[in-house]
Amino acid sequence: MKPTVSLVTVSLLFAPISFPGPGAETLTGSSLERSWRNDQKAYGRKGAVVSAHPLASRVGLAILKRGGNAVDAAVATFLTLAVVHPQAGNLGGGGFVVLRMADGRKLALDFREMAPLKAHPKMYQDGKGEVIPGKSLRTAQAVGVPGSPAGIYHLWKKFGKIKKWSQLVYPAHAFAEKGFEVDDFLARSIRAKRKTLGLWPATREIFFRKGEPLRKGDFLIQKDLAATLKRFADGGPKGFYGGRTAELFEAEMKRTKGMITQKDLASYVVKERKVLEGSYRGYPILSMPPPSSGGIALLQMLHILETWSLRDLGPGSAQELHYKIEAMRRAYADRARWLGDPDFFKVPIKGLLAKDYATGLAEGISPTQASKGVEAGLPAGAPPEESRETTHFSVIDAEGNAVSCTTTLNSTFGNGQVVAGAGFLLNNEMDDFSSKPGVPNQFGLVGAKANEIRAGKRPLSSMTPTIVLDKKGEHPYLILGSPGGGRIINTVLQVLIQVLDHDLPLDLAVRAPRIHQQWLPPATYWEPLAIPADARRKLEGMGHLFQKRPSVIGRCQAIRRDARGRILAVSDPRSGGGASAW
Ligand code: GLY
C-alpha cells in the first residue's frame, strides 16, 4: 500500500485538540461515578465524530477535515476501532448502519453475520435436546460469517466521497503496524476476560506479555492485523473474503473444529434494507429494521408512551417510570415472539408499528398496577449476565450527512479467538440466535421460531442505530446508539425521552441514570439514582419488582445538531470513548 497520508501527517492531525467543556475529572471508582473527560464532549459547526475510543473519533474528524464526508469518516472510524477498541471494534464481526444523506436519501445497511452453511437449529443441543452450556459462546462453532469488511466497503462505494479506498484504511493500518498505548479501559477489559482470551494461542500472543494480560500504558502492536488490513486496503472485500485472509480463516476453523469454510466467506452478502421510519411527538425517527429488533421495539415503546405527557408527569416520577417500564415489558415480549431475520420469517412489521396497535397496548396498562400477565407463552428467563460488548459511533458532516453505526463481536472480544496469522478476533454472534425456544441467551433474552438457527440466516440483534430528524424532517437533530445487548434499545429510548420530553441538554440526557426492563426476567434493573427512594416505594406498592444493577446500562455515543447548526457530540462518561468536532 502506498498511503497518501503519511504517518507523520496522521500523528499531527491526531494531536489532542481541546474543546470547551467541563474540567477533566479523575476517573476513579465504578464507571457510574465517572464524569466526562475533556475529550468526551466536543462542540462544532462543521462536523463531529463520537465513538468508543478517542483515537478513532480523531481519525474520523481528520477524514472530515481532509474533505471526506460522513461516510468516509465513518469507514475510517470503524476500521480504527477494529484496532484500538478490540473489545468490540472488529473485522471479524458485523453490524448495522442507519444513514441519512443531506439530499434526503436514507438507507439501513445490514452487514450482520450469517450462520454458516452447515448450521442447523439443533447445533447447540445434546442428544437429549438440552442446550450445551457455552457452545454458542466460547467455541469456534459460535462464530458467524463476518459481515463488517463487506458492509463498510459497500457503504463507501455507494456514498463515500474520498476516491481512494486505501486512504480510509491507512490510519487503522498505521495504528496496527506502529502500535498505540493501552488505556485503562482496554487493560481492564483484557484482565476481566483473561480466561477466555488465554484459551487461544494466537490471542495470547497479542493481548498477553510474559504470560500476563497487557496493562495500562503498554504498547499494543498488531503486525498480523496490519497485514490483513493491507490486504483489505489493496483488494477491497476480495482481500478479506478471498486470498490469504480466507485461507488463514479456514485453517483456523479446521484447527479448532469451527464450521466456516472459504465457501461461507465467499457467500457473504450485504443487505440494503428500508430504513424503519416512525415518529415521536412530531419528530421523525429513522432506525434499524429486522434482523435487528432495535428499531421496531424502540418505535413500539415510543408509540405507547405518546399516550401520556411524560413531561407533565416529570422525569423520575413514579408514574413516568411506571409507564416506561410497562412499555418496555410489552415491546420486549413482542420481540421474543415475533422478531427474527425477515428473509426467513415473516416479521409483522406493519402490525407491530401500527399506532392503533400501540394504542391498544397502552389501554391495557393500568395507571396504578404493574402488569403481571403480559402475554408470553414462554418460561421465565435467567437474569442476564454482565457487561457484554458492542460499540456504537455517530458521525455528522458539514453538509448534514449523518451516519449512525452499531457494530459488534457480541461478547467482549467475541469468542476470544484470534485467527492465527491474520490477527483479528472472531465473533460469537451465533449466541444471538435462539438455541432452543425459551432458553435464554447470554443477555437473558429468549426467542422462538422467528429466531431459530438456519444456514445463511442472520441472528436477531438489539442494535439500535438511530437518527432523529427535526420536526420539519429536513435535518438530522439527534444521531445516537449504544452497546449493551438487550439493554441497547432501552438506552436509546431513555436518552430520546430525556431530550424530546424533558428538554435535557444532550450531555445530561446521556449521563442520566437509566432503568432496564426486558419482560423476562420480570424485575426491572436500575442504575444508582435512576429511581428516587420515594418513587421506588410507590412502584413496589403497585407490584413492580426491582433489582439494582451492578454494572451500567448502555454507553451512548450521541450527536445533537440544533436549529442554528450548532453541534454537540457527547461520549457517555460510563466508558472511555471520545468526541471530536470542528
Ligand atoms: N450481539 C448483540 C446484539 O446484536 O444485539
Side-chain angles (χ1 to χ4, degrees):
M1 175 169 48
K2 284 210 187 96
T4 44
V5 188
S6 74
L7 188 60
V8 178
T9 326
V10 169
S11 38
L12 284 176
L13 280 169
F14 305 152
I17 308 162
S18 48
F19 297 97
E25 306 205 12
T26 325
L27 300 181
T28 52
S30 87
S31 50
L32 283 168
E33 288 159 11
R34 284 187 196 116
S35 192
W36 291 274
R37 290 192 324 258
N38 261 350
D39 63 353
Q40 291 193 300
K41 289 192 209 177
Y43 301 83
R45 282 190 171 271
K46 294 199 235 168
V49 183
V50 60
S51 79
H53 200 292
L55 288 175
S57 301
R58 283 189 214 150
V59 165
L61 185 68
I63 296 291
L64 290 180
K65 287 184 173 177
R66 296 184 77 84
N69 65 10
V71 168
D72 299 313
V75 168
T77 302
F78 191 111
L79 288 165
T80 305
L81 285 170
V83 178
V84 301
H85 185 61
Q87 299 98 309
N90 66 84
L91 292 179
F96 301 127
V97 160
V98 170
L99 166 82
R100 203 251 185 196
M101 298 299 280
D103 61 12
R105 280 177 296 165
K106 293 168 237 169
L107 178 69
L109 195 68
D110 168 359
F111 47 98
R112 184 77 164 154
E113 296 88 336
M114 290 168 68
L117 297 167
K118 285 191 210 127
H120 57 88
K122 299 198 171 165
M123 62 186 278
Y124 300 122
Q125 297 175 21
D126 63 17
K128 292 186 193 138
E130 300 298 328
V131 172
I132 303 164
K135 194 170 177 194
S136 63
L137 283 169
R138 288 183 285 277
T139 71
Q141 292 203 9
V143 185
V145 182
S148 292
I152 55 167
Y153 186 84
H154 185 97
L155 193 67
W156 166 75
K157 198 86 191 144
K158 191 148 180 183
F159 297 98
K161 198 165 140 197
I162 287 199
K163 295 267 177 301
K164 212 165 162 205
W165 168 246
S166 61
Q167 245 183 301
L168 301 180
V169 188
Y170 177 63
H173 177 265
F175 284 120
E177 178 75 26
K178 308 283 177 198
F180 67 98
E181 202 175 307
V182 171
D183 67 11
D184 189 32
F185 298 93
L186 178 53
R188 276 201 252 168
S189 300
I190 299 172
R191 181 153 287 278
K193 284 287 187 173
R194 61 185 176 280
K195 269 196 191 148
T196 312
L197 297 175
L199 291 174
W200 308 94
T203 313
R204 276 201 305 274
E205 259 179 49
I206 298 169
F207 295 107
F208 286 58
R209 198 151 296 160
K210 294 188 185 145
E212 284 299 311
L214 290 180
R215 292 163 192 258
K216 179 178 176 208
D218 283 345
F219 225 62
L220 176 52
I221 294 173
Q222 300 170 84
K223 292 277 183 196
D224 288 342
L225 180 56
T228 297
L229 283 165
K230 185 175 182 319
R231 288 190 290 273
F232 190 31
D234 292 343
K238 284 198 189 109
F240 182 89
Y241 295 91
R244 180 80 185 130
T245 309
E247 283 166 19
L248 290 166
F249 201 129
E250 190 176 71
E252 178 72 26
M253 288 285 111
K254 276 197 180 136
R255 213 174 20 252
T256 56
K257 301 196 174 65
M259 282 184 169
I260 296 172
T261 62
Q262 293 199 45
K263 190 168 171 210
D264 281 293
L265 292 170
S267 312
Y268 185 82
V269 278
V270 176
K271 299 257 171 161
E272 287 194 3
R273 305 206 185 262
K274 200 166 165 313
V275 172
L276 209 60
E277 298 192 51
S279 71
Y280 183 61
R281 311 222 191 263
Y283 289 93
I285 314 259
L286 314 179
S287 197
M288 192 67 209
S292 182
S293 60
I296 289 192
L298 175 70
L299 289 174
Q300 227 184 318
M301 292 190 281
L302 290 171
H303 291 165
I304 294 172
L305 290 167
E306 260 185 334
T307 310
W308 306 279
S309 169
L310 301 187
R311 182 191 297 251
D312 291 341
L313 295 174
S317 67
Q319 208 61 34
E320 192 239 17
L321 288 162
H322 170 67
Y323 288 133
K324 284 199 297 206
I325 292 167
E326 292 300 334
M328 290 172 181
R329 216 192 293 283
R330 280 155 181 78
Y332 277 77
D334 276 347
R335 177 197 192 280
R337 183 179 306 170
W338 294 116
L339 295 187
D341 182 345
D343 298 334
F344 286 74
F345 181 86
K346 194 163 167 25
V347 181
I349 298 182
K350 270 199 183 150
L352 291 169
L353 294 186
K355 292 244 176 172
D356 55 354
Y357 177 61
T359 309
L361 291 176
E363 280 168 6
I365 297 175
S366 154
T368 54
Q369 287 296 313
S371 42
K372 301 237 165 0
V374 172
E375 263 299 292
L378 294 168
E385 285 179 35
E386 298 309 320
S387 181
R388 304 297 177 201
E389 197 68 63
T390 287
T391 193
H392 178 87
F393 63 89
S394 301
V395 187
I396 190 163
D397 65 21
E399 286 170 40
N401 300 307
V403 177
S404 188
C405 175
T406 315
T407 178
T408 189
L409 290 165
N410 198 20
S411 297
T412 311
F413 301 107
N415 73 343
Q417 181 176 14
V418 162
V419 173
F424 60 89
L425 280 152
L426 292 173
N427 68 81
N428 56 1
E429 218 66 59
M430 293 295 285
D431 187 66
D432 270 348
F433 279 116
S434 170
S435 293
K436 188 180 169 182
V439 175
N441 72 358
Q442 67 168 336
F443 302 115
L445 296 164
V446 292
K449 188 90 186 153
N451 191 30
E452 76 173 5
I453 304 168
R454 294 274 172 195
K457 191 175 173 183
R458 292 159 198 247
L460 183 61
S461 171
S462 300
M463 293 189 284
T464 316
T466 297
I467 299 174
V468 179
L469 303 180
D470 62 16
K471 283 192 174 170
K472 289 187 194 150
E474 287 173 355
H475 304 290
Y477 174 53
L478 291 168
I479 308 159
L480 76 168
S482 173
R487 307 188 292 275
I488 293 173
I489 318 168
N490 285 336
T491 299
V492 174
L493 173 81
Q494 288 168 90
V495 175
L496 286 187
I497 288 174
Q498 298 291 13
V499 176
L500 303 181
D501 286 290
H502 300 314
D503 283 337
L504 278 193
L506 184 64
D507 49 353
L508 298 184
V510 166
R511 179 69 188 86
R514 297 189 269 262
I515 59 168
H516 174 65
Q517 156 62 237
Q518 62 175 37
W519 176 52
L520 294 175
T524 297
Y525 295 92
W526 54 286
E527 291 180 336
L529 303 181
I531 312 183
D534 57 345
R536 196 162 79 248
R537 277 191 291 276
K538 193 164 174 206
L539 288 162
E540 280 166 351
M542 293 162 81
H544 286 284
L545 302 171
F546 291 103
Q547 197 165 329
K548 192 170 163 193
R549 194 162 183 90
S551 76
V552 297
I553 294 174
R555 275 149 291 153
C556 182
Q557 311 290 347
I559 293 175
R560 176 175 175 166
R561 182 185 177 280
D562 71 13
R564 289 160 63 188
R566 292 175 304 191
I567 296 167
L568 168 60
V570 177
S571 183
D572 201 320
R574 288 168 179 78
S575 68
S580 294
W582 70 320

